[in-house]
Amino acid sequence: MTAQAHIDEDLLIRPEFADAWRNFADGEWKRGVEVRDFILKNYTPFEGDASFLAGPTEKTLRVWDTLEKKFLSVERKQRVYDVDTETPAEIDAFGAGYISEDDDVIVGLQTDVPLKRAMMPYGGWRMVETAIREAGKEPNEDVKKIFTEYRKTHNEAVFDIYTPRIRAARSSHIITGLPDAYGRGRIIGDYRRVALYGVDALIADKERAKDSVADKGFSEHWARYREEHSEQIKALKRLKNMASKYGFDISGPAKNAQEAVQWTYFGYLASVKSQDGAAMSIGRLSGFLDAYFERDLAEGTITESDAQEMIDALVIKLRITRFLRTIDYDQIFSGDPYWATWSDGGFSDDGRTLVTKTSFRLLQTLRNLGPAPEPNITIFWDENLPDGYKEFCSAISIETSSIQYESDPQIRQHWGDDAAIACCVSPMKVGKQMQFFGARVNAAKALLYAMNGGRDEMSGKQVVEGYEPITGDGPLDFDEVWNKYEHMLDWVIGTYVEALNIIHYSHDKYAYESIEMALHDSDIIRAMGCGIAGLSIVADSLSAIKYAKVTPIRDETGLIVDYKTEGDFPAYGNDDDRADDIAATIVHTVMSKIKAIPLYRDAIPTQSVLTITSNVVYGKATGNFPSGHRAGTPFSPGANPENGKDTHGMVASMLSVGKLDYDDALDGISLTNTITPTALGRTKDEQVKNLVGILDAGFVPEED
């Protein structure tokens, strides 16, 4: 790509730029759209403790109390507070809305009333209509007619293109959770750009990028490039219009901390107003916002209480983000999540900690407002993080169970020091990379298909043609089973990637994320985020076949429906190389097969070992296993050992997961652990220090 992001000199000479950027250190960020450079030149690392923090202001408590009494309590009783059935969602489709008269610190709602959900029919009308009816409402017939007769949707396009084998794999649940009826998500707009540069500069940059290829001549590639940039420019103009409804002119950069938080939130709000992606992360904000807080605190225009109030107000807004979802969708994701993930902590490439006072302020919201799953606070952990921060993270984890942790050395090595998590464990470079979200394949069910020659163990249907089942009544042979499993994975992975290519082709065409992509560079990295479910079940089952005696049990049609397993076998999750190496081989094998298939828009293939929420749904659709896992029961989440099989403690399970090669799972590896505080020590101080020790042990860099 020829277009490079830079700031128009005519814009830079405006007085508002000089005022907005007062007392900030110079850098390349002034000559190009480079937020990372701004942060590294202007943030203040903090190595102290939490003693400086402020509690909630009276205004914060009043707003939160109103939200609880008038809205959240109602929603809990009826699942969905309200739905707007008249207005297809768009960045500026709704007028201004507020929680209460006190709601004036950081403003902006997805619709015009808190918790009221908007229709997003460009992804597909079927899901919208179902969700409206499940919420006790009736769809607007005129809107329905538009999106069923006149306007093609992403979902309709996908099913027009799907092949019979994709449909068969989807209906049998060997591939589940595909984003073919909802927004794909996992695209993090660099919302900080709105505050640092203002929207006019971003529009000028996109116009320049669009026109830089005007002489290329026609090709499908350059036509799409120019059309997408046109859509991005329209979205940025809508963003300005939306902000104006709240009384803000965001054409120029933010001039103080409150505007910086507000402008940044407006960028995020535009995204969740117009897309209902499976994960709508907000990115990495603390270092950026802290530069404004530190400047305003030094100038004496705000107090620490003011700074905390702004972060509390922002987090309140993130907590009430809502999308119109079906009950089936909620079951797949075990609730109503949207993963407004906020990544924090870690180190910069120059060796300084990226922990700031705002890193503490973010965690403080869990005390000021109480525990909550959103925003999904993700700490990039390194054993060398400041002790005060590590201990505060540990204390808040013990109090609230509301923090997740990722390995900063691993992420920084592969994705740099301005990476953020785009869901649960999926890292990417903010504003420079996006992901084609791909749900995951049921790697466990694929093993049963391999042994049954493509017949589904639950229905008995022949889903995959051309594969011979294992015959005979004797014990299973490991080499034969592994050979058949590898060949079945060829079909499963091939079908899966074909579906993903179709989905993302259709999504770009009919439900393009114009505002999120407007907050990216014009030349970006695209990844295809594939994934597997059921890793521990496959590893333990293959281990049982290899190290114990496993005899298949068949029904009257010859279908293997259960197994008799005699003898002991090593289980994954106990730091035993015999089982752990099998798990690592499975992950590597799947990734190798994905890499061998061409991907849409030349995306980089990545893989996650992730089922934090959908493990119940996968389990319901899957049969019995040699490992002893029973039909219909939930899978263990992510890369976790099978429930009850990890008998050597938490650190041993972490060491087992650590043997999975991150190069084979660059989309992330998830391990979920539960610890009762009393198991960590008798006193609060012991508990805090022992949890820090466990995290340090679990995130030891590879070279150690």
Side-chain angles (χ1 to χ4, degrees), residues 270-332:
S271 294
V272 296
K273 278 176 170 284
S274 56
Q275 285 287 333
D276 62 343
M280 298 294 287
S281 301
I282 198 166
R284 193 166 187 163
L285 305 183
S286 294
F288 175 74
L289 295 178
D290 197 76
Y292 288 87
F293 285 131
E294 287 295 303
R295 187 187 65 180
D296 286 13
L297 285 164
E299 292 177 347
T301 56
I302 64 170
T303 65
E304 179 54 41
S305 183
D306 294 328
Q308 186 64 53
E309 184 179 61
M310 292 177 214
I311 296 299
D312 287 346
L314 173 59
V315 167
I316 286 173
K317 294 303 191 298
L318 299 181
R319 289 190 181 187
I320 60 172
T321 298
R322 296 291 187 271
F323 295 111
L324 182 62
R325 307 292 201 192
T326 64
I327 292 173
D328 283 346
Y329 178 97
D330 287 355
Q331 289 177 344
I332 291 175

Side-chain angles (χ1 to χ4, degrees), residues 426-464:
S426 307
M428 61 186 63
K429 298 179 179 181
V430 179
K432 300 180 181 301
Q433 178 183 350
M434 61 86 73
Q435 183 194 100
F436 296 131
F437 167 54
R440 53 204 58 89
V441 295
N442 190 333
K445 194 175 182 73
L447 178 65
L448 303 183
Y449 272 38
M451 291 187 282
N452 276 311
R455 286 182 70 191
D456 189 274
E457 75 285 355
M458 302 292 277
S459 68
K461 293 180 180 179
Q462 187 72 44
V463 176
V464 186

Side-chain angles (χ1 to χ4, degrees), residues 547-581:
Y547 295 106
K549 179 182 176 182
V550 177
T551 305
I553 299 171
R554 303 176 187 275
D555 67 8
E556 63 277 5
T557 70
L559 182 73
I560 301 174
V561 294
D562 206 352
Y563 304 85
K564 180 181 179 181
T565 300
E566 302 171 276
D568 296 328
F569 58 92
Y572 164 73
N574 295 289
D575 195 22
D576 187 320
D577 287 346
R578 293 175 297 169
D580 298 345
D581 287 350

